């Protein structure tokens, strides 16, 4: 039990958290626990008390997780594992170690196939293969050598080999165990899924599109393993990579609305049905939670599978028996768990697969493993809608992050086969970085691409916000349906006002009641006519049971939210308090508001957020902004629109103030810092939709912090645009901490407008490359306040060092540069040294986990000789030997300000340490030189420690 371990290993754990003397490991662990909902903000502030000793804070944390119970303790160990050094092998490589005997046995008979798989994935070279297959070795020795080499190559190679073995075992099992009637059922299931998944469903208004023609790979990331840097493909979703709980059967793919979750599942269905992927599963059952909402009967699991996916022509019981006996050969997929009316609960346990129950109860029992244990369940959801209770039952979680910049390129080219049009559209998107940021979201990329004519025709007025993009498609569809009588002005809106209100009412009522599929009677109630349907925003729901009449849904849930927002802005029939209620959902008592009925118990308690209401509120902000208010002139009474706009501004202001009030008072002499709570980034995005500087200024007028912490907040380029728009109005310069997000190069560019107000910028683990750094520095050197940067664990190479060097030469007030865990070699170090030589302000320099070697260390050491400002230098894990150590000794001697020198995990021998000892005799200011894990025997360590107590081994 993890809880016992927290008790028994207390001193080791304290050591893990505090031995470095830095608060960072403790903070990082708490960040992860906060992000996973295991700690509340209040817990966080109780533990992290500034001015109290690090060990005391760490002890408080251990007491707290222990008191919270087993789940919190498990989460604590996961978090601790995550933050440990990169030398710790990745999770998959660890599996190679723990399962070694079995793997050696498996591999002996199929070495050729395994090597072929490694070659194909480019993890092995031909030479590696020749090495393994040397005839002097027995097959088992060859298998062991193969595992050693795979381990040394890291997680992606380990993954290939584990997948290969898994596949082999499954093929074998399938060959021996699949009965005939099952194969017949499999064939029927495959052909039904093939028919359902070949075309993409949201192209209703504009014709069907084959998924093969349009599918573009999205970015997948593991939620619990920031260190896994390899590319994750579709098969990795169901593979062992990134497993955090081996007992659990449920894999979650989470992503924002429109990030492509449904499309990704559809792709998996199609590939399985074709026999092109996931072939380790004999049966795949696809479900949409949206559609499950309309199942009102109580069903058994057997009925659920057969009635909703594919009915067996005969031998039902045998087929179900096969599923029960071979759970590992079956996968069930549930799309959009967030759209299920009920939120996850594990109160009612079912154990019998024949026991009928309401569908949501079946679903929850499947996810937590009470039913069909061993069957893999793959679920998609928006992250805000997943509470801590479900998280306990997850095998792993992956984030779907939408398109990469290359993905946008590829998608637009697939959309526009005419290469001239494609390159014009791309040029126009790239010319507007805010729009480029928006296009990382596939649904927005799709809309922009649909509206290419409008886009190319709008000159400087290209869309900047999400509302702009949706207004563009509104105009596009409406004008497509009936061209405007007069082409000037916003008359297109007035001409279609009635239709908009009909659809708006339907959407609004749907958002209120968590309804996303509408029957003809719902359409009638809202007066939606055939002509309104023809506009293209509604599409017919596919694959509904034959006894039901036609059903409709909006092209995408975000489109429904947009229409709901139009209704809130334009209709006289909404309650006067609707706007306020939309923004104040987190206040107590909101269950009595009109939106109360669409909130689950978890949402009402504030455990999870209500993403559709948040999206609707974001659109309301955009639609009521000054820029768009002229559109409503002839459509709604101006005083009413003005009143609603004022209400929105008041709500945003109030929402921000609530966040600021939560900032704890700093201990005297310490910095005042604010950790963003859930909802903060959303409020910032709402303010950005309005794009009125005075609102941003007003919202921040009472914020008085030195440090703004936005770690693990799912911040991508779009959020960066909004943050920069708002934060540039900070009253005084602050540190902005964006570690562990998905900022990327595009996001970095979006942040530039607020760089002048940024004292320090923390961008650890954010997928940033040299190009992003080039742009950041070009702006950074013009900003007086900008003094610190942390870029740990990005994708930086030597190519960025010339820019950093330029920064060091130019900015004589720059204080801290942290570049750990990137790919900087001796060449890059030499470039950096040129900048360091001319700099007279730098205090902290961190290069942990690069590859600068001896010659890089020599260059850095010589550049820092005589520095009067350097306090802290880390060259941990850089392949530095005694030559480097000797060079650093000169720096030690001549650098009066230096306090800590970190040389852990290098290859320094006794000779190198001796020169450091000598140098230390000339510098009494140095507090410690860290030398753990170098090339010294225990006797040498003993001897050196006796000579100099400031050496730490
Ligand atoms: P989510 O389920 O996350 O809300 P969807 O999968 O419904 O998002 O995606 C919304 C729209 O974005 C799709 O209808 C499609 O037009 C586009 N889209 C999403 N993912 C992809 C993809 N991988 N390739 C091509 N288009 C995509």
């Amino acid at each position: 039990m993890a809880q016992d371990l927290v008790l028994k290993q207390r001193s080791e754990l304290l050591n893990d958290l505090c031995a470095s003397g830095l608060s960072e490991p403790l903070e990082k662990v708490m960040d992860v626990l906060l992000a996973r909902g295991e700690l509340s903000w209040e817990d966080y502030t109780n533990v992290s008390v500034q001015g109290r000793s690090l060990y005391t804070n760490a002890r408080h944390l251990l007491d707290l997780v222990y008191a919270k119970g087993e789940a919190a303790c498990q989460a604590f160990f996961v978090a601790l594992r995550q933050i440990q050094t990169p030398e710790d092998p990745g999770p998959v490589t660890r599996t190679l170690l723990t399962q070694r005997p079995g793997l050696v046995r498996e591999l002996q008979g199929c070495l050729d196939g395994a090597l072929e798989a490694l070659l194909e994935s480019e993890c092995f070279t031909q030479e590696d293969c020749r090495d393994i297959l040397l005839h002097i070795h027995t097959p088992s020795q060859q298998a062991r050598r193969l595992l050693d080499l795979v381990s040394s190559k890291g997680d992606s190679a380990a993954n290939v080999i584990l997948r290969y073995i898994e596949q082999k075992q499954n093929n074998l099992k399938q060959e021996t165990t699949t009965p005939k009637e099952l194969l017949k059922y499999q064939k029927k299931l495959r052909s039904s899924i093939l028919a359902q998944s070949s075309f993409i469903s949201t192209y209703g208004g504009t014709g069907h599109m084959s998924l093969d023609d349009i599918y573009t790979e999205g970015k997948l990331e593991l939620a619990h393993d920031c260190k896994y840097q390899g590319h994750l493909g579709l098969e990795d979703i169901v593979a062992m990579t990134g497993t955090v709980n081996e007992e659990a059967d449920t894999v979650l793919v989470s992503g924002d609305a429109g990030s492509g979750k449904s499309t990704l599942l559809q792709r998996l269905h199609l590939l399985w049905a074709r026999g092109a992927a996931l072939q380790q599963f004999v049966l795949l059952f696809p479900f949409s939670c949206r559609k499950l909402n309309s199942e009102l009967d109580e069903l058994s699991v057997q009925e659920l599978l057969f009635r909703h996916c594919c009915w067996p022509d005969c031998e039902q019981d045998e087929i179900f028996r096969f599923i029960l006996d071979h759970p590992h050969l079956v996968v069930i997929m549930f799309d959009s768990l967030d759209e299920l009316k009920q939120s996850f609960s594990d109160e009612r346990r079912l154990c019998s697969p024949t026991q009928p129950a309401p569908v949501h109860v079946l679903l929850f029992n499947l996810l937590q493993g009470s039913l069909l244990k061993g069957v893999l369940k793959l679920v998609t959801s928006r992250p805000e809608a997943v509470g801590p209770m479900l998280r306990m039952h997850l095998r792993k979680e992956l984030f779907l992050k939408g398109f990469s910049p290359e993905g946008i390129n590829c998608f637009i080219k697939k959309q526009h086969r005419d290469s001239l049009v494609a390159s014009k559209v791309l040029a126009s998107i790239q010319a507007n970085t805010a729009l480029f940021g928006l296009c990382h979201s596939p649904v927005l990329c799709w809309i922009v691409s649909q509206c290419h004519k409008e886009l190319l025709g709008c000159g400087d007025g290209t869309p900047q916000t999400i509302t702009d993009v949706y207004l563009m498609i509104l105009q596009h569809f409406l004008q497509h349906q009936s061209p405007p009588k007069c082409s000037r002005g916003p008359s297109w809106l007035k001409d279609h006002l009635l239709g908009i209100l009909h659809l708006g009412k339907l959407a609004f009522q749907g958002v209120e009641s968590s309804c996303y599929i509408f029957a003809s009677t719902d359409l009638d109630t809202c007066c939606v006519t055939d002509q309104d349907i023809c506009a293209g925003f509604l599409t017919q729901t596919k694959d509904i049971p034959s006894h039901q009449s036609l059903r409709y849904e909006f092209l995408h849930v975000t489109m429904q939210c947009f229409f709901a927002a139009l209704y809130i802005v334009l209709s006289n029939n909404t309650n006067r308090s609707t706007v306020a209620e939309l923004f104040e959902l987190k206040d107590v008592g909101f269950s009595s508001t009109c939106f109360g009925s669409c909130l689950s118990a978890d949402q009402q308690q504030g455990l999870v957020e209500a993403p559709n209401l948040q999206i609707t509120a974001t659109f309301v902000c955009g639609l009521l902004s000054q820029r768009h208010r002229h559109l409503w002139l002839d459509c709604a009474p101006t005083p009413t629109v003005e009143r609603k706009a004022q209400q929105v501004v008041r709500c945003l202001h109030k929402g921000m103030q609530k966040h600021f009030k939560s900032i704890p008072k700093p201990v005297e002499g310490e910095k005042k810092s604010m950790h963003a709570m859930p909802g903060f980034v959303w409020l910032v995005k709402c303010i950005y939709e309005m794009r009125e500087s005075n609102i941003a200024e007003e919202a921040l007028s009472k914020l008085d912090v030195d440090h703004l912490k936005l770690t693990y907040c799912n911040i991508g380029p779009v959020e960066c645009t909004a943050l920069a728009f708002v934060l540039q109005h900070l009253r005084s310069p602050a540190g902005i901490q964006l570690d562990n997000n998905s900022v990327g190069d595009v996001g970095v560019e979006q942040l530039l407008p607020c760089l002048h107000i940024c004292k320090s910028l923390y961008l650890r683990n954010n997928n940033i490359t040299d190009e992003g750094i080039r742009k950041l520095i070009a702006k950074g050197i013009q900003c007086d306040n900008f003094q610190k940067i942390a870029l740990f664990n990005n994708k930086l190479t030597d190519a960025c060092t010339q820019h950093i060097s330029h920064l060091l030469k130019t900015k004589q007030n720059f204080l801290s540069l942290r570049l750990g865990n990137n790919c900087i070699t001796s060449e890059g170090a030499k470039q950096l040294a040129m900048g360091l030589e001319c700099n007279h302000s730098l205090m902290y320099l961190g290069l942990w986990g690069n590859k600068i070697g001896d010659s890089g260390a020599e260059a850095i050491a010589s550049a820092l000789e005589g520095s009067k400002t350097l306090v802290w230098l880390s060259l941990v894990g850089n392949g530095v030997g005694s030559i480097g150590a000797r060079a650093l000794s000169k720096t030690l001697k001549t650098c009066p300000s230096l306090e800590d020198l970190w040389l852990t995990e290098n290859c320094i021998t006794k000779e190198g340490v001796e020169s450091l000892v000598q140098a230390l005799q000339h510098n009494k200011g140095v507090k410690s030189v860290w030398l753990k894990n170098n090339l010294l025997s225990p006797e040498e360590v003993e001897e050196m420690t006796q000579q100099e107590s400031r050496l730490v081994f």
Side-chain angles (χ1 to χ4, degrees):
M1 287 245 303
Q3 207 176 2
D4 288 339
L5 288 180
V6 168
L7 217 52
K8 284 189 195 139
Q9 301 184 351
R10 194 171 168 91
S11 58
E12 292 95 301
L13 293 173
L14 284 172
N15 206 34
D16 285 348
L17 290 170
C18 310
S20 65
L22 302 171
S23 62
E24 207 163 280
L26 179 67
E27 297 250 322
K28 278 186 182 168
V29 166
M30 288 204 288
D31 282 343
V32 178
L33 293 174
L34 255 182
R36 295 192 60 185
E38 296 292 350
L39 286 192
S40 66
W41 173 240
E42 206 180 326
D43 295 333
Y44 185 94
T45 47
N46 285 340
V47 170
S48 181
V49 177
Q50 305 262 3
R52 200 164 66 180
S53 92
L54 185 58
Y55 272 92
T56 314
N57 285 348
R59 275 189 208 103
H60 269 84
L61 177 67
L62 292 182
D63 293 343
L64 187 67
V65 290
Y66 183 81
K68 282 183 178 267
E70 177 63 17
C73 293
Q74 277 180 12
F76 168 79
F77 279 107
V78 171
L80 192 64
R81 227 178 295 145
Q82 250 180 57
I83 63 141
Q84 274 162 351
T85 61
E87 282 69 28
D88 182 20
V92 196
T93 313
R94 269 198 300 276
T95 312
L96 287 193
L97 283 174
T98 52
Q99 302 184 0
R100 190 169 168 99
L103 293 174
V104 171
R105 220 176 312 125
E106 292 287 343
L107 278 170
Q108 286 180 45
C110 57
L111 274 165
D112 287 340
L115 288 172
E116 209 166 290
L118 287 160
L119 264 179
E120 208 167 280
S121 60
E122 296 181 5
C123 294
F124 268 27
T125 61
Q126 291 286 2
E127 201 172 325
D128 291 334
C129 297
R130 274 194 297 274
D131 238 25
I132 302 282
L133 291 176
L134 278 180
H135 287 303
I136 47 167
H137 300 299
T138 64
S140 73
Q141 281 171 331
Q142 288 174 338
R144 285 197 185 87
R145 286 166 63 85
L146 183 141
L147 286 177
D148 291 341
L149 193 57
V150 166
S151 300
S152 73
K153 302 227 173 203
D155 265 2
S156 37
N159 214 11
V160 171
I161 204 71
L162 288 176
R163 206 185 304 142
Y164 173 78
I165 292 176
E166 199 178 344
Q167 189 119 10
K168 233 180 130 50
Q169 288 169 338
N170 286 331
N171 288 349
L172 201 70
K173 273 185 206 137
Q174 269 191 43
E175 279 161 26
T176 50
T177 55
T178 318
K180 240 201 194 128
E181 63 273 16
L182 191 89
L183 289 175
K184 242 168 86 189
Y185 178 64
Q186 187 194 44
K187 198 166 163 200
K188 185 173 178 190
L189 184 63
R190 277 189 199 275
S191 76
S192 138
I193 293 183
L194 200 62
Q196 289 165 22
S197 57
S198 298
F199 292 94
I200 192 153
S201 50
T202 44
Y203 283 67
T206 51
H208 285 297
M209 191 60 119
S210 132
L211 186 63
D212 284 331
D213 288 344
I214 203 69
Y215 186 78
T216 307
E217 198 169 313
K219 275 191 297 177
L220 274 170
E221 283 174 17
L222 282 169
H224 301 293
D225 191 4
C226 322
K227 277 186 259 138
Y228 183 82
Q229 297 267 320
H231 166 82
L232 291 173
L234 291 180
E235 295 273 4
D236 292 308
I237 299 174
V238 297
M240 290 187 254
T241 327
T243 296
V244 288
N245 179 358
E246 284 175 18
E247 296 300 308
D249 296 331
T250 300
V251 172
L252 170 69
V253 174
S254 58
D256 292 334
S259 59
K261 301 178 295 296
S262 308
T263 313
L264 176 112
L265 282 202
Q266 193 179 336
R267 184 72 183 156
L268 286 173
H269 301 163
L270 181 66
L271 294 178
W272 178 81
R274 260 194 208 141
L278 308 189
Q279 293 309 292
Q280 61 272 42
F281 300 107
V282 175
L283 299 175
L284 180 154
F285 294 99
F287 288 94
S288 139
C289 293
R290 178 178 275 210
K291 288 179 195 155
L292 283 179
N293 278 329
S294 56
E295 177 57 85
L296 304 175
D297 292 348
E298 296 212 348
L299 305 176
S300 69
V301 178
Q302 178 170 352
E303 285 166 324
L304 178 77
L305 296 180
F306 292 166
R307 200 194 281 188
H308 279 266
C309 294
C310 175
W311 194 259
D313 294 326
C314 55
E315 318 279 7
Q316 278 177 44
D317 291 338
E318 282 70 13
I319 292 171
F320 192 62
R321 188 78 260 147
F322 177 89
I323 296 173
L324 295 178
D325 292 345
H326 302 87
H328 56 285
L329 298 182
V330 181
V331 56
I332 310 183
M333 301 193 183
F334 295 102
D335 188 24
S336 310
L337 190 64
D338 49 276
E339 291 187 356
L340 198 74
K341 280 188 196 277
Q342 299 81 0
S343 73
F344 182 84
S345 128
D346 58 3
E347 272 162 25
R348 190 171 155 201
R349 293 276 168 124
L350 299 173
C351 298
S352 158
T354 51
Q355 187 183 348
V359 167
H360 69 275
V361 176
L362 290 182
L363 174 53
F364 300 155
N365 275 275
L366 284 165
L367 298 186
Q368 45 133 310
S370 309
L371 285 177
L372 301 191
K373 178 87 200 136
V375 168
L376 182 73
K377 291 95 185 180
L378 177 57
V379 190
T380 69
S381 173
R382 284 181 264 179
E384 306 92 322
V386 181
M389 235 179 328
L390 175 58
R391 285 191 194 281
M392 271 176 23
H393 299 288
L394 294 183
R395 177 184 291 187
K396 65 178 179 182
E397 179 177 357
L398 296 109
F399 291 136
L400 183 60
K401 297 271 176 168
F403 293 149
S404 62
E406 301 75 46
I408 296 175
N409 207 311
C410 171
F411 178 80
I412 298 288
K413 285 184 178 152
K414 285 185 174 185
Q415 284 271 326
H416 302 283
R417 300 285 165 180
D418 179 340
S419 60
L420 198 67
V421 177
S423 50
K424 275 191 189 161
V425 174
L426 273 169
S428 150
I429 294 175
Q430 277 155 1
N432 169 352
T433 49
L435 183 61
F436 192 48
L438 291 173
C439 285
H440 284 65
S441 158
V443 73
L444 292 174
C445 200
W446 169 71
I447 295 180
V448 168
S449 154
Q450 290 293 303
C451 300
H452 66 277
K453 290 208 176 95
E454 286 82 354
L455 185 71
L456 298 176
C458 51
D460 287 343
T462 52
Q464 304 277 334
T465 66
I466 303 177
T467 312
D468 295 352
V469 172
Y470 279 75
L471 276 170
M472 186 165 74
I473 192 135
L474 180 71
Q475 186 170 9
H476 173 87
F477 274 18
L478 294 178
Q479 294 190 346
H480 191 70
Q481 186 189 19
S482 57
K485 290 172 201 132
C486 100
S487 59
R488 291 182 65 236
S491 71
W492 59 272
L493 246 171
K494 196 168 166 231
D495 294 347
H496 296 95
L497 184 63
L498 270 183
I500 293 176
L501 285 172
H502 299 157
L503 292 170
K505 186 172 179 189
L506 185 74
F508 177 73
Q509 292 184 349
V511 167
E512 271 185 325
S513 57
S514 300
C515 180
Y516 310 98
I517 296 186
F518 305 96
S520 309
T521 47
D522 300 321
L523 269 61
D524 291 344
T525 319
C526 298
C527 311
V528 176
T529 62
D530 286 346
Q531 202 191 353
D532 300 335
I533 298 174
C534 284
F537 300 105
L538 282 181
T539 165
Q540 265 181 33
T541 306
K542 288 193 308 182
D543 318 313
I544 46 163
S546 52
H547 63 274
Q548 289 182 0
S549 58
L550 281 184
R551 293 281 192 277
Y552 293 89
E553 56 197 307
F554 280 87
L555 277 183
H556 189 254
V557 66
T558 49
M559 192 68 86
Q560 182 174 340
C561 296
F562 178 65
F563 271 94
L566 279 168
Y567 189 71
I568 292 172
V569 170
L570 291 174
S571 164
N572 291 323
N573 297 334
T574 54
N575 208 313
R576 268 182 95 87
S577 56
T578 304
V579 169
E581 287 169 6
L582 199 54
F583 285 91
E584 287 169 13
L585 289 167
K586 295 248 148 223
D587 282 348
V588 278
F590 59 75
S591 55
S592 60
T593 69
C594 69
F595 300 109
S597 62
C598 79
L599 299 174
S600 63
D602 274 358
Q603 284 167 342
Q604 294 190 11
Q605 289 164 27
L607 288 176
V608 295
E609 292 172 37
N612 289 335
L613 299 181
Q614 290 194 339
I615 297 174
T616 306
T618 314
F619 281 130
V620 168
C621 291
L623 294 174
L624 286 172
S625 66
Q626 284 288 0
R627 290 176 318 131
H628 294 312
R629 240 177 273 168
H630 67 282
L631 288 171
W632 324 123
L633 274 179
D634 297 327
C635 303
T638 306
T640 318
V641 173
E642 292 288 340
R643 174 179 57 79
K644 290 179 184 173
Q646 281 164 12
Q647 255 182 319
V648 163
V649 175
R650 267 201 308 276
C651 290
L652 292 175
H653 187 70
K654 238 171 89 182
M656 285 301 239
Q657 299 321 310
K658 242 176 75 183
H659 274 82
F660 303 156
K661 275 193 199 133
S662 72
I663 305 173
K665 278 219 162 71
V667 177
E668 228 179 82
E670 290 290 338
K671 285 186 180 160
K672 193 169 176 187
S673 114
M674 177 186 131
H675 196 305
M677 291 193 299
F680 179 75
V681 177
W682 163 64
L683 278 174
V684 167
K685 283 169 82 171
C686 286
I687 295 175
Y688 173 69
E689 284 299 309
M690 303 204 77
R691 294 197 73 218
E692 290 170 44
S693 297
N694 55 338
I695 297 179
E697 213 170 310
E698 173 83 352
L700 291 193
S701 60
K702 297 219 173 77
L703 176 64
D704 173 25
V705 281
D706 297 306
H707 192 88
L708 202 55
K709 201 164 178 181
L710 290 150
T711 53
Y712 291 103
C713 284
N714 197 15
I715 291 172
V718 177
E719 288 72 24
C720 288
T721 314
L723 276 172
F725 180 79
V726 174
L727 295 183
Q728 62 182 300
H729 299 289
L730 276 171
R731 287 186 320 156
S732 53
I736 300 178
Q737 189 167 356
L738 291 164
D739 300 333
N740 299 306
N741 285 296
S742 314
V743 170
D745 291 348
V746 182
V748 167
E749 201 173 344
Q750 295 300 299
L751 287 173
L752 300 182
C754 72
L755 206 59
H756 65 279
I757 202 78
C758 186
K759 270 196 300 206
S760 40
L761 186 57
Y762 299 79
L763 287 167
R764 300 180 185 102
N765 199 29
N766 263 300
N767 224 350
I768 297 167
T769 75
D770 301 323
E771 180 55 17
I773 296 307
R774 184 182 68 76
K775 291 187 176 149
L776 182 71
I777 286 176
K779 177 76 196 267
I781 51 179
Q782 300 163 15
C783 302
D784 261 1
N785 292 318
F786 179 55
Q787 295 184 319
K788 295 183 183 175
I789 189 152
L791 291 162
F792 180 83
N793 209 24
N794 280 290
K795 298 198 164 142
L796 307 184
T797 70
D798 292 339
C800 76
T801 52
Q802 55 168 312
H803 307 297
I804 297 179
S805 187
H806 179 53
L807 172 101
L808 291 169
K809 280 182 197 163
T810 323
K811 265 186 86 63
Q812 294 300 336
N813 68 346
F814 204 73
L815 300 179
S816 173
L817 175 63
R818 296 183 191 244
L819 296 169
N821 222 25
N822 283 289
C823 295
I824 296 171
T825 71
S826 58
E827 288 312 305
K830 286 174 195 164
Q831 278 285 351
L832 286 178
M834 288 193 239
L836 288 169
E837 246 161 40
C838 312
N839 180 281
H840 306 294
S841 58
L842 197 74
M843 296 172 73
Y844 303 90
L845 175 60
L847 283 164
W848 174 37
N850 283 284
K851 299 188 182 77
I852 68 164
D854 270 332
S855 58
E858 280 181 307
I860 300 262
S862 122
L864 290 172
E865 258 177 57
S867 162
K868 295 190 176 56
T869 54
L870 192 77
V871 174
W872 186 92
L873 171 64
S874 167
L875 300 180
V876 171
N878 260 291
V880 178
S882 292
I883 301 178
R886 262 205 309 275
L888 285 161
S889 305
K890 286 195 206 140
T891 320
L892 262 186
K893 243 190 229 169
T894 57
C895 184
S897 49
L898 191 64
E899 292 181 4
D900 275 294
L901 175 59
W902 284 81
L903 292 170
T904 313
E905 323 254 340
N906 278 300
C907 34
I908 303 171
T909 58
K910 183 180 172 198
E911 184 205 341
V913 179
E914 277 171 348
S915 65
L916 291 169
V917 170
Q918 268 180 15
L920 279 170
Q921 288 167 4
H922 300 272
N923 189 341
K924 297 293 167 209
V926 172
K927 289 185 185 148
S928 352
V929 177
W930 300 78
L931 284 159
K932 266 188 198 168
N933 293 339
N934 276 282
L935 302 182
L936 277 84
S937 68
E939 296 74 35
E940 287 170 333
V941 167
E942 183 61 38
E943 185 191 336
M944 293 291 121
T945 318
Q946 294 211 341
Q947 283 188 30
E948 176 55 70
S949 61
R950 288 174 288 169
L951 299 183
V952 187
F953 289 100

